[in-house]
Amino acid sequence: MIDARHISVLGPEAVEMLSPRAGGVYVDATFGAGGYSRMILATEGTQVIAIDRDSTAIAGGADLVSSSNGRLALVEDRFSNLADVCDAQGSPLVDGVVMDVGVSSMQLDQAERGFSFRFDGPLDMRMAQHGPSAADVVAKASEADLANIIYIFGEERHSRAVAREIVAARKEVAITTTKQLVDIVSKVVWAKPGEIHPATRTFQALRIFVNEELDELHTALAAAERVLKPGGRLSVVSFHSLEDRIVKNFIAERSKTGGGSRHLPEIAQAVPRFKIINKRPIVADEDETRANPRARSAKLRGAERTPAPAQDAGPLPGWPTLASVLRGG
């Protein structure tokens, strides 16, 4: 039996949305355990360009690369760079892009990676395993920045109290483990029986912030628009409201028509870059959520590329950035 944690959530639905065909080139923008790539490769004659920023995932995919007979290229990079990756692989235009946004179950289950409040380990949380860690942010960010990070990226309503407690605790001893942070948060955030763990939102916020996940998603969606051929499909699975909101708004904005006026005919009508495939997100059924609890919050959205020229990504939202917080800005 395959461990349910290593099965791509909404995998069959996400790949079916791509409509893979022989001769098509597809991007698995978040390789992980390779679930999407395997399903795409099951269609004879397909080619897959897979991307992951985690060197552990790259190493774990070596066997699949070997058995693919040259049909799978696995690249260690951020998925925001997918346009450059495709170009380097000799496929500047592709037939489909699939993304599974956020942390993987494998990363959560490795105590030494420091993603989960369920295990005691180093306060790390870095997907790429280099650069500033969660411990660095907790040690260096101001109280105001910590409160903003925890509120914006974790949607934690007790963010100010949590930030205040972190700053008080780090004056006594460096906060370097997940257990230390759990104990600190649990002093000011309480949960009733049946509710999520008190540290859930704080850990989510730090993980998203350290890995710049929402910035990555914002840029990756625009990159997917650039590489998709007319008729190419975009398929995105997200796991919480912050991600889903970005995906939903991107697809809605790039699918807009109108903008002109019958009274002002010289104003050009907006040309949609995408056509929405499913107006309502696809969610996991009871069987999948029973087998994999992580699937409960998953939402799948898709869109089909039109012939209209791609737009730039546009400016990032005005939330705190890793660089500015660590330099005290």
Side-chain angles (χ1 to χ4, degrees):
M1 293 181 64
I2 300 174
D3 190 331
R5 295 168 301 173
H6 298 170
I7 298 173
S8 297
V9 174
L10 291 172
E13 294 88 347
V15 172
E16 182 182 0
M17 190 173 282
L18 295 181
S19 298
R21 56 175 179 78
V25 180
Y26 301 89
V27 177
D28 179 354
T30 48
F31 179 76
Y36 293 129
S37 291
R38 285 185 178 87
M39 283 182 272
I40 296 169
L41 291 168
T43 298
E44 287 295 327
T46 52
Q47 299 277 335
V48 176
I49 300 169
I51 304 168
D52 205 294
R53 68 197 288 189
D54 190 336
S55 58
T56 303
I58 298 296
D63 287 345
L64 185 57
V65 173
S66 298
S67 64
S68 70
N69 297 318
R71 295 167 55 208
L72 171 64
L74 182 53
V75 181
E76 184 175 345
D77 207 331
R78 292 174 176 247
F79 77 138
S80 59
N81 295 328
L82 69 87
D84 292 335
V85 171
C86 290
D87 195 49
Q89 292 297 318
S91 298
L93 294 175
V94 301
D95 299 279
V97 176
V98 62
M99 303 177 184
D100 177 334
V101 187
V103 69
S104 73
S105 297
M106 294 183 300
Q107 290 167 330
L108 286 171
D109 290 342
Q110 295 172 331
E112 67 274 15
R113 302 295 299 275
F115 284 102
S116 177
F117 51 80
R118 295 183 294 125
F119 311 109
D120 189 19
L123 189 58
D124 193 325
M125 301 194 189
R126 296 171 296 178
M127 291 181 182
Q129 301 184 56
H130 57 75
S133 68
D136 293 324
V137 173
V138 166
K140 297 177 183 178
S142 68
E143 182 177 324
D145 280 337
L146 282 171
N148 281 334
I149 290 165
I150 295 166
Y151 180 75
I152 294 170
F153 301 114
E155 300 181 312
E156 171 58 76
R157 59 192 180 92
H158 301 292
S159 58
R160 290 183 181 179
V162 172
R164 188 163 53 247
E165 197 67 27
I166 287 173
V167 170
R170 75 187 184 190
K171 290 178 181 177
E172 303 298 322
V173 62
I175 304 167
T176 59
T177 70
T178 54
K179 185 179 185 305
Q180 283 178 284
L181 184 58
V182 168
D183 291 344
I184 291 165
V185 175
S186 297
K187 290 180 181 179
V188 292
V189 180
W190 300 277
K192 297 176 183 178
E195 293 183 343
I196 63 173
H197 190 283
T200 299
R201 294 188 176 93
T202 297
F203 270 67
Q204 172 187 296
L206 286 171
R207 189 206 81 219
I208 288 173
F209 183 70
V210 165
N211 294 291
E212 300 172 299
E213 291 178 36
L214 301 189
D215 293 355
E216 285 284 297
L217 177 59
H218 178 86
T219 307
L221 290 169
E225 180 181 320
R226 292 200 303 277
V227 303
L228 282 168
K229 298 175 183 177
R233 296 284 189 89
L234 173 65
S235 177
V236 186
V237 178
S238 59
F239 290 89
H240 60 70
S241 59
L242 293 172
E243 299 165 344
D244 182 59
R245 200 175 303 138
I246 291 173
V247 177
K248 178 183 178 181
N249 290 344
F250 173 84
I251 292 175
E253 179 66 30
R254 303 300 173 107
S255 302
K256 273 184 182 177
T257 58
S261 167
R262 62 187 177 89
H263 303 294
L264 298 169
E266 70 277 8
I267 299 177
Q269 294 284 329
V271 180
R273 272 81 180 167
F274 281 99
K275 179 176 67 175
I276 296 174
I277 295 173
N278 55 315
K279 291 188 177 180
R280 291 182 177 275
I282 296 171
V283 298
D285 60 23
E286 289 184 10
D287 289 340
E288 183 168 8
T289 55
R290 194 179 302 114
N292 185 356
R294 184 172 180 249
R296 289 194 192 105
S297 59
K299 292 182 178 180
L300 168 62
R301 297 184 186 273
E304 183 176 299
R305 190 72 171 86
T306 72
Q311 289 180 299
D312 292 335
L316 294 169
W319 48 52
T321 66
L322 187 58
S324 66
V325 165
L326 291 181
R327 69 168 177 261

